[in-house]
Amino acid sequence: MTDRYIRQTRLAEIGAAGQGKLAAAKVLVVGAGGLGSTVLQILAGAGIGEIVIVDHDHVDLTNLHRQPLYSMDDIGVPKADAARRALLRANPGIVVTARSERLTPNNATALVQEASIVIDAADNFAVTYTLSDQCWALGKPLVSASVLGLSGYVGAYCGGAPSYRAVFPDAPEVAGSCASVGVLGSAVATMGSLQAHMALHLLLDLKPGTLGRLVSFDGHTLQFGGFSFADSPEPLHATPFIGLADLASDDIIVDLRGVAEAPILPRADALRLAPTEIDQLASAHGDARIVLCCRSGQRALRAAGRLQSMGRHNLALVALEGDPS
């Protein structure tokens, strides 16, 4: 062992054995933006043996205030590639794989299956639920975080703990984005640091465990909160995200976007309904599967929740923004 990790191996909780666990780990990080930028630097510094980065975006000038992994020279470069180069400059003794692509229902299974632990740093509805479903099915721990404005939260799901769906079965009625609401770089770094710490805590098998716990941070009041969700029940009916390529010929496809937002329907026989018109589907079309589509998945999740409350359960969701078809 080199002197690189000597300050952390001196910790009684880590030592040579703990460092060996980190070196043997393969961590999947989905999202190399604000959260991912901090997460990746900490994991690389800690000596994670292999890191797989999945991000479809490119570095933009507006990213730099909250994504310190990048510099002006990286503008226009795929984030996954720029992140890989930065991590290997900092620690050439690890393996870093860059995948400049979206996380979708089509590639999620293979990516999650190969990982020791999954970190959801995408802050995207469809990605979070897709990763939670895959981690729950494959028994892999998922550390997911979200941040907006000056506040955020991070939790450790699946891998023996309840899934993200058990804690957040429904999408919020109102949600913003960093682009529409804004975000402070220090809040992002705080949540990213907590996310990385949770991941290292899990990989080192420290006690008490973090699975089934959520930590929140209010940057206005500088207060931390949180709760245990270890006993949260899984929803009886979980509506999965799928890709357009997974549609069956007899599916009833419902596009929740307006004409101005999406003049072309995802399939010629698709219906176009506003979210306020969704109740009419509760008893229509027999037992056929209803596939709800929107840009990010948020409206589709809410509509699915409404239909489930009315007894309709043969449902699926498509987030068209991230569909590769």
Side-chain angles (χ1 to χ4, degrees):
M1 185 183 302
T2 70
D3 289 344
R4 176 183 286 272
Y5 308 113
I6 195 167
R7 293 295 186 270
Q8 67 188 32
T9 55
R10 281 181 174 167
L11 290 168
E13 298 90 341
I14 300 180
Q19 194 61 46
K21 291 179 181 179
L22 299 183
K26 181 175 182 177
V27 179
L28 171 64
V29 180
V30 181
L35 291 167
S37 181
T38 298
V39 167
L40 288 165
Q41 290 180 90
I42 293 174
L43 294 184
I48 296 299
E50 185 173 356
I51 300 173
V52 179
I53 307 167
V54 177
D55 194 299
H56 69 284
D57 204 2
H58 294 69
V59 179
D60 185 83
L61 179 65
T62 61
N63 302 146
L64 300 184
H65 86 285
R66 68 190 186 282
Q67 299 178 18
L69 190 59
Y70 310 117
S71 69
M72 292 290 290
D73 292 339
D74 294 318
I75 291 176
V77 176
K79 287 184 181 178
D81 294 334
R84 178 181 183 274
R85 288 198 294 270
L87 297 187
L88 291 177
R89 282 196 300 268
N91 189 352
I94 62 174
V95 176
V96 183
T97 301
R99 299 189 59 150
S100 188
E101 60 188 271
R102 290 182 185 273
L103 190 287
T104 71
N106 303 112
N107 62 14
T109 301
L111 288 167
V112 171
Q113 201 162 30
E114 295 178 356
S116 307
I117 189 171
V118 177
I119 296 183
D120 166 28
D123 215 353
N124 173 282
F125 287 108
V127 168
T128 299
Y129 283 94
T130 297
L131 285 175
S132 179
D133 290 347
Q134 293 298 326
C135 287
W136 173 254
L138 296 169
K140 303 293 179 112
L142 169 68
V143 181
S144 179
S146 179
V147 61
L148 196 64
L150 275 73
S151 303
Y153 62 86
V154 57
Y157 311 87
C158 306
S163 71
Y164 185 90
R165 286 184 183 272
V167 187
F168 302 103
D170 303 307
E173 287 298 320
V174 179
S177 67
C178 292
S180 62
V181 177
V183 67
L184 189 63
S186 56
V188 178
T190 299
M191 300 317 300
S193 294
L194 280 172
Q195 195 172 17
H197 183 74
M198 268 196 178
L200 292 172
H201 200 287
L202 287 166
L203 290 168
L204 291 166
D205 196 25
L206 301 183
K207 305 299 181 185
T210 61
L211 283 174
R213 291 178 59 189
L214 182 144
V215 177
S216 61
F217 172 65
D218 186 334
H220 289 277
T221 62
L222 295 180
Q223 290 183 322
F224 286 90
F227 55 86
S228 170
F229 57 88
D231 296 325
S232 296
E234 294 298 318
L236 293 177
H237 303 284
T239 305
F241 277 93
I242 64 172
L244 287 177
D246 302 316
L247 293 175
S249 59
D250 57 346
D251 282 337
I252 307 302
I253 305 167
V254 180
D255 195 329
L256 300 173
R257 302 171 298 170
V259 176
E261 181 184 359
I264 300 176
L265 291 168
R267 201 166 76 180
D269 60 346
L271 306 175
R272 191 189 300 276
L273 292 177
T276 54
E277 301 173 310
I278 205 70
D279 287 10
Q280 63 187 267
L281 296 173
S283 58
H285 307 290
D287 296 325
R289 183 172 72 167
I290 296 175
V291 181
L292 301 162
C293 308
C294 69
R295 184 184 64 83
S296 69
Q298 182 184 349
R299 282 168 287 182
L301 274 166
R302 288 203 305 267
R306 172 65 178 168
L307 290 174
Q308 286 174 345
S309 71
M310 301 173 72
R312 189 76 186 234
H313 300 299
N314 191 11
L315 306 168
L317 312 171
V318 174
L320 293 164
E321 179 185 44
D323 193 274
S325 303

PDB file of all heavy atoms in Angstrom, residues 296-317:
ATOM      1  N   SER A 296     -40.235  14.115 -19.051  1.00  0.00           N
ATOM      2  CA  SER A 296     -39.301  13.704 -18.007  1.00  0.00           C
ATOM      3  C   SER A 296     -39.768  12.511 -17.196  1.00  0.00           C
ATOM      4  O   SER A 296     -38.976  11.906 -16.478  1.00  0.00           O
ATOM      5  CB  SER A 296     -39.061  14.875 -17.042  1.00  0.00           C
ATOM      6  OG  SER A 296     -40.245  15.135 -16.292  1.00  0.00           O
ATOM      7  N   GLY A 297     -41.057  12.172 -17.266  1.00  0.00           N
ATOM      8  CA  GLY A 297     -41.611  11.098 -16.458  1.00  0.00           C
ATOM      9  C   GLY A 297     -42.414  11.581 -15.279  1.00  0.00           C
ATOM     10  O   GLY A 297     -43.182  10.826 -14.681  1.00  0.00           O
ATOM     11  N   GLN A 298     -42.312  12.861 -14.933  1.00  0.00           N
ATOM     12  CA  GLN A 298     -43.000  13.377 -13.759  1.00  0.00           C
ATOM     13  C   GLN A 298     -44.519  13.359 -13.925  1.00  0.00           C
ATOM     14  O   GLN A 298     -45.245  12.864 -13.058  1.00  0.00           O
ATOM     15  CB  GLN A 298     -42.537  14.800 -13.459  1.00  0.00           C
ATOM     16  CG  GLN A 298     -43.179  15.402 -12.221  1.00  0.00           C
ATOM     17  CD  GLN A 298     -42.769  16.850 -12.008  1.00  0.00           C
ATOM     18  OE1 GLN A 298     -41.861  17.340 -12.650  1.00  0.00           O
ATOM     19  NE2 GLN A 298     -43.455  17.522 -11.117  1.00  0.00           N
ATOM     20  N   ARG A 299     -45.006  13.872 -15.046  1.00  0.00           N
ATOM     21  CA  ARG A 299     -46.452  13.862 -15.273  1.00  0.00           C
ATOM     22  C   ARG A 299     -46.985  12.439 -15.397  1.00  0.00           C
ATOM     23  O   ARG A 299     -48.080  12.117 -14.901  1.00  0.00           O
ATOM     24  CB  ARG A 299     -46.783  14.654 -16.547  1.00  0.00           C
ATOM     25  CG  ARG A 299     -46.757  16.156 -16.379  1.00  0.00           C
ATOM     26  CD  ARG A 299     -46.790  16.887 -17.706  1.00  0.00           C
ATOM     27  NE  ARG A 299     -45.510  16.789 -18.406  1.00  0.00           N
ATOM     28  CZ  ARG A 299     -45.248  17.373 -19.582  1.00  0.00           C
ATOM     29  NH1 ARG A 299     -46.194  18.076 -20.191  1.00  0.00           N
ATOM     30  NH2 ARG A 299     -44.073  17.266 -20.143  1.00  0.00           N
ATOM     31  N   ALA A 300     -46.201  11.565 -16.022  1.00  0.00           N
ATOM     32  CA  ALA A 300     -46.615  10.173 -16.171  1.00  0.00           C
ATOM     33  C   ALA A 300     -46.711   9.479 -14.815  1.00  0.00           C
ATOM     34  O   ALA A 300     -47.644   8.720 -14.557  1.00  0.00           O
ATOM     35  CB  ALA A 300     -45.636   9.442 -17.089  1.00  0.00           C
ATOM     36  N   LEU A 301     -45.758   9.751 -13.925  1.00  0.00           N
ATOM     37  CA  LEU A 301     -45.797   9.167 -12.587  1.00  0.00           C
ATOM     38  C   LEU A 301     -47.038   9.618 -11.822  1.00  0.00           C
ATOM     39  O   LEU A 301     -47.711   8.814 -11.168  1.00  0.00           O
ATOM     40  CB  LEU A 301     -44.543   9.567 -11.816  1.00  0.00           C
ATOM     41  CG  LEU A 301     -43.296   8.698 -11.986  1.00  0.00           C
ATOM     42  CD1 LEU A 301     -42.073   9.414 -11.435  1.00  0.00           C
ATOM     43  CD2 LEU A 301     -43.489   7.354 -11.301  1.00  0.00           C
ATOM     44  N   ARG A 302     -47.332  10.910 -11.895  1.00  0.00           N
ATOM     45  CA  ARG A 302     -48.516  11.422 -11.190  1.00  0.00           C
ATOM     46  C   ARG A 302     -49.790  10.819 -11.774  1.00  0.00           C
ATOM     47  O   ARG A 302     -50.711  10.451 -11.034  1.00  0.00           O
ATOM     48  CB  ARG A 302     -48.562  12.946 -11.264  1.00  0.00           C
ATOM     49  CG  ARG A 302     -47.522  13.639 -10.404  1.00  0.00           C
ATOM     50  CD  ARG A 302     -47.958  15.069 -10.072  1.00  0.00           C
ATOM     51  NE  ARG A 302     -48.254  15.829 -11.276  1.00  0.00           N
ATOM     52  CZ  ARG A 302     -47.375  16.593 -11.924  1.00  0.00           C
ATOM     53  NH1 ARG A 302     -46.143  16.672 -11.495  1.00  0.00           N
ATOM     54  NH2 ARG A 302     -47.732  17.263 -13.002  1.00  0.00           N
ATOM     55  N   ALA A 303     -49.857  10.731 -13.102  1.00  0.00           N
ATOM     56  CA  ALA A 303     -51.043  10.163 -13.744  1.00  0.00           C
ATOM     57  C   ALA A 303     -51.208   8.694 -13.378  1.00  0.00           C
ATOM     58  O   ALA A 303     -52.325   8.218 -13.132  1.00  0.00           O
ATOM     59  CB  ALA A 303     -50.940  10.327 -15.260  1.00  0.00           C
ATOM     60  N   ALA A 304     -50.112   7.968 -13.309  1.00  0.00           N
ATOM     61  CA  ALA A 304     -50.182   6.563 -12.919  1.00  0.00           C
ATOM     62  C   ALA A 304     -50.703   6.416 -11.495  1.00  0.00           C
ATOM     63  O   ALA A 304     -51.521   5.532 -11.203  1.00  0.00           O
ATOM     64  CB  ALA A 304     -48.806   5.913 -13.049  1.00  0.00           C
ATOM     65  N   GLY A 305     -50.238   7.291 -10.608  1.00  0.00           N
ATOM     66  CA  GLY A 305     -50.727   7.256  -9.236  1.00  0.00           C
ATOM     67  C   GLY A 305     -52.221   7.499  -9.163  1.00  0.00           C
ATOM     68  O   GLY A 305     -52.940   6.851  -8.385  1.00  0.00           O
ATOM     69  N   ARG A 306     -52.693   8.423  -9.985  1.00  0.00           N
ATOM     70  CA  ARG A 306     -54.128   8.713 -10.019  1.00  0.00           C
ATOM     71  C   ARG A 306     -54.920   7.496 -10.513  1.00  0.00           C
ATOM     72  O   ARG A 306     -55.932   7.114  -9.921  1.00  0.00           O
ATOM     73  CB  ARG A 306     -54.375   9.918 -10.942  1.00  0.00           C
ATOM     74  CG  ARG A 306     -55.828  10.238 -11.229  1.00  0.00           C
ATOM     75  CD  ARG A 306     -56.559  10.678  -9.993  1.00  0.00           C
ATOM     76  NE  ARG A 306     -57.942  11.022 -10.296  1.00  0.00           N
ATOM     77  CZ  ARG A 306     -58.870  11.228  -9.375  1.00  0.00           C
ATOM     78  NH1 ARG A 306     -58.567  11.132  -8.086  1.00  0.00           N
ATOM     79  NH2 ARG A 306     -60.108  11.532  -9.718  1.00  0.00           N
ATOM     80  N   LEU A 307     -54.447   6.873 -11.572  1.00  0.00           N
ATOM     81  CA  LEU A 307     -55.149   5.707 -12.116  1.00  0.00           C
ATOM     82  C   LEU A 307     -55.107   4.532 -11.148  1.00  0.00           C
ATOM     83  O   LEU A 307     -56.079   3.783 -11.023  1.00  0.00           O
ATOM     84  CB  LEU A 307     -54.551   5.314 -13.465  1.00  0.00           C
ATOM     85  CG  LEU A 307     -54.829   6.282 -14.630  1.00  0.00           C
ATOM     86  CD1 LEU A 307     -54.070   5.861 -15.872  1.00  0.00           C
ATOM     87  CD2 LEU A 307     -56.330   6.358 -14.922  1.00  0.00           C
ATOM     88  N   GLN A 308     -53.994   4.355 -10.450  1.00  0.00           N
ATOM     89  CA  GLN A 308     -53.903   3.279  -9.470  1.00  0.00           C
ATOM     90  C   GLN A 308     -54.909   3.483  -8.345  1.00  0.00           C
ATOM     91  O   GLN A 308     -55.501   2.521  -7.853  1.00  0.00           O
ATOM     92  CB  GLN A 308     -52.490   3.204  -8.912  1.00  0.00           C
ATOM     93  CG  GLN A 308     -51.480   2.613  -9.888  1.00  0.00           C
ATOM     94  CD  GLN A 308     -50.064   2.689  -9.365  1.00  0.00           C
ATOM     95  OE1 GLN A 308     -49.782   3.410  -8.410  1.00  0.00           O
ATOM     96  NE2 GLN A 308     -49.161   1.961  -9.995  1.00  0.00           N
ATOM     97  N   SER A 309     -55.088   4.733  -7.943  1.00  0.00           N
ATOM     98  CA  SER A 309     -56.055   5.010  -6.872  1.00  0.00           C
ATOM     99  C   SER A 309     -57.478   4.707  -7.315  1.00  0.00           C
ATOM    100  O   SER A 309     -58.364   4.527  -6.479  1.00  0.00           O
ATOM    101  CB  SER A 309     -55.954   6.476  -6.440  1.00  0.00           C
ATOM    102  OG  SER A 309     -56.465   7.352  -7.447  1.00  0.00           O
ATOM    103  N   MET A 310     -57.672   4.621  -8.625  1.00  0.00           N
ATOM    104  CA  MET A 310     -58.999   4.313  -9.179  1.00  0.00           C
ATOM    105  C   MET A 310     -59.103   2.852  -9.597  1.00  0.00           C
ATOM    106  O   MET A 310     -60.079   2.448 -10.237  1.00  0.00           O
ATOM    107  CB  MET A 310     -59.274   5.230 -10.368  1.00  0.00           C
ATOM    108  CG  MET A 310     -59.228   6.717 -10.022  1.00  0.00           C
ATOM    109  SD  MET A 310     -59.345   7.801 -11.466  1.00  0.00           S
ATOM    110  CE  MET A 310     -61.069   7.587 -11.910  1.00  0.00           C
ATOM    111  N   GLY A 311     -58.073   2.054  -9.256  1.00  0.00           N
ATOM    112  CA  GLY A 311     -58.144   0.620  -9.490  1.00  0.00           C
ATOM    113  C   GLY A 311     -57.513   0.127 -10.772  1.00  0.00           C
ATOM    114  O   GLY A 311     -57.622  -1.060 -11.093  1.00  0.00           O
ATOM    115  N   ARG A 312     -56.838   1.005 -11.512  1.00  0.00           N
ATOM    116  CA  ARG A 312     -56.198   0.584 -12.770  1.00  0.00           C
ATOM    117  C   ARG A 312     -54.711   0.335 -12.498  1.00  0.00           C
ATOM    118  O   ARG A 312     -54.000   1.231 -12.045  1.00  0.00           O
ATOM    119  CB  ARG A 312     -56.361   1.676 -13.839  1.00  0.00           C
ATOM    120  CG  ARG A 312     -55.918   1.244 -15.234  1.00  0.00           C
ATOM    121  CD  ARG A 312     -56.965   0.332 -15.843  1.00  0.00           C
ATOM    122  NE  ARG A 312     -56.544  -0.214 -17.114  1.00  0.00           N
ATOM    123  CZ  ARG A 312     -57.262  -0.120 -18.241  1.00  0.00           C
ATOM    124  NH1 ARG A 312     -58.407   0.546 -18.233  1.00  0.00           N
ATOM    125  NH2 ARG A 312     -56.853  -0.684 -19.348  1.00  0.00           N
ATOM    126  N   HIS A 313     -54.220  -0.877 -12.765  1.00  0.00           N
ATOM    127  CA  HIS A 313     -52.859  -1.213 -12.374  1.00  0.00           C
ATOM    128  C   HIS A 313     -51.980  -1.724 -13.503  1.00  0.00           C
ATOM    129  O   HIS A 313     -50.768  -1.831 -13.319  1.00  0.00           O
ATOM    130  CB  HIS A 313     -52.878  -2.254 -11.252  1.00  0.00           C
ATOM    131  CG  HIS A 313     -53.591  -1.791 -10.024  1.00  0.00           C
ATOM    132  ND1 HIS A 313     -53.187  -0.685  -9.303  1.00  0.00           N
ATOM    133  CD2 HIS A 313     -54.707  -2.275  -9.415  1.00  0.00           C
ATOM    134  CE1 HIS A 313     -54.022  -0.500  -8.290  1.00  0.00           C
ATOM    135  NE2 HIS A 313     -54.942  -1.449  -8.324  1.00  0.00           N
ATOM    136  N   ASN A 314     -52.538  -2.053 -14.649  1.00  0.00           N
ATOM    137  CA  ASN A 314     -51.719  -2.533 -15.763  1.00  0.00           C
ATOM    138  C   ASN A 314     -51.181  -1.322 -16.526  1.00  0.00           C
ATOM    139  O   ASN A 314     -51.723  -0.904 -17.552  1.00  0.00           O
ATOM    140  CB  ASN A 314     -52.544  -3.436 -16.684  1.00  0.00           C
ATOM    141  CG  ASN A 314     -51.681  -4.156 -17.698  1.00  0.00           C
ATOM    142  OD1 ASN A 314     -50.443  -4.148 -17.597  1.00  0.00           O
ATOM    143  ND2 ASN A 314     -52.306  -4.786 -18.684  1.00  0.00           N
ATOM    144  N   LEU A 315     -50.095  -0.759 -15.989  1.00  0.00           N
ATOM    145  CA  LEU A 315     -49.583   0.519 -16.479  1.00  0.00           C
ATOM    146  C   LEU A 315     -48.080   0.434 -16.712  1.00  0.00           C
ATOM    147  O   LEU A 315     -47.385  -0.395 -16.128  1.00  0.00           O
ATOM    148  CB  LEU A 315     -49.858   1.634 -15.469  1.00  0.00           C
ATOM    149  CG  LEU A 315     -51.301   1.825 -14.988  1.00  0.00           C
ATOM    150  CD1 LEU A 315     -51.331   2.752 -13.785  1.00  0.00           C
ATOM    151  CD2 LEU A 315     -52.156   2.380 -16.114  1.00  0.00           C
ATOM    152  N   ALA A 316     -47.579   1.314 -17.547  1.00  0.00           N
ATOM    153  CA  ALA A 316     -46.142   1.498 -17.744  1.00  0.00           C
ATOM    154  C   ALA A 316     -45.905   2.960 -18.079  1.00  0.00           C
ATOM    155  O   ALA A 316     -46.832   3.692 -18.462  1.00  0.00           O
ATOM    156  CB  ALA A 316     -45.618   0.591 -18.854  1.00  0.00           C
ATOM    157  N   LEU A 317     -44.654   3.400 -17.933  1.00  0.00           N
ATOM    158  CA  LEU A 317     -44.295   4.803 -18.122  1.00  0.00           C
ATOM    159  C   LEU A 317     -43.158   4.924 -19.123  1.00  0.00           C
ATOM    160  O   LEU A 317     -42.279   4.068 -19.181  1.00  0.00           O
ATOM    161  CB  LEU A 317     -43.857   5.429 -16.795  1.00  0.00           C
ATOM    162  CG  LEU A 317     -44.749   5.187 -15.576  1.00  0.00           C
ATOM    163  CD1 LEU A 317     -44.061   5.695 -14.323  1.00  0.00           C
ATOM    164  CD2 LEU A 317     -46.095   5.857 -15.760  1.00  0.00           C
TER     165      LEU A 317
END
